[in-house]
Amino acid sequence: MKNDSKGIALAITATMISALILGLISVWLNIERVDKAYYLRRMEKKLDDQESLEGKLEVEKNNLLSPIRLRQLAKQYGFGPASQGQIRRPREEKKP
């Protein structure tokens, strides 16, 4: 009888320890999942911000390079169309 009760006590103890370990693992995994979700949300916000900035910069670039604006600046600084011989094209290097 004593062996049976010792075996049952040992089985109960092992089961409780296993349940405790599995519970701790479950809590740890849930904490990791929440941390990853917050990290993912931050990265998505950062991506959205960068895409928004890219769009704004594209609009600004198009505004700065618009032909109307460039004509106004050329007129303001006294530039005009290039005369013959003023435009030189760089030579392409010959590749072996």
Side-chain angles (χ1 to χ4, degrees), residues 50-69:
Q50 288 180 346
E51 286 175 348
S52 174
L53 178 61
E54 180 185 10
K56 290 175 185 176
L57 290 173
E58 185 70 27
V59 168
E60 182 67 20
K61 179 185 117 180
N62 290 337
N63 182 39
L64 291 172
L65 295 176
S66 72
I68 295 171
R69 182 177 178 279

Side-chain angles (χ1 to χ4, degrees), residues 28-63:
W28 177 73
L29 288 174
N30 193 39
I31 290 171
E32 285 295 315
R33 183 185 60 81
V34 170
D35 284 347
K36 296 295 180 192
Y38 282 131
Y39 177 76
L40 181 61
R41 190 168 292 139
R42 280 195 311 268
M43 292 296 109
E44 286 173 344
K45 184 178 180 337
K46 187 175 179 179
L47 180 63
D48 288 343
D49 291 345
Q50 288 180 346
E51 286 175 348
S52 174
L53 178 61
E54 180 185 10
K56 290 175 185 176
L57 290 173
E58 185 70 27
V59 168
E60 182 67 20
K61 179 185 117 180
N62 290 337
N63 182 39

Side-chain angles (χ1 to χ4, degrees), residues 86-92:
Q86 285 184 320
I87 298 177
R88 295 184 186 199
R89 300 195 189 276
R91 294 181 187 171
E92 292 185 26

Side-chain angles (χ1 to χ4, degrees), residues 64-89:
L64 291 172
L65 295 176
S66 72
I68 295 171
R69 182 177 178 279
L70 292 176
R71 271 191 222 105
Q72 290 172 346
L73 287 173
K75 187 183 239 185
Q76 178 182 344
Y77 290 108
F79 294 133
S83 61
Q84 196 170 18
Q86 285 184 320
I87 298 177
R88 295 184 186 199
R89 300 195 189 276

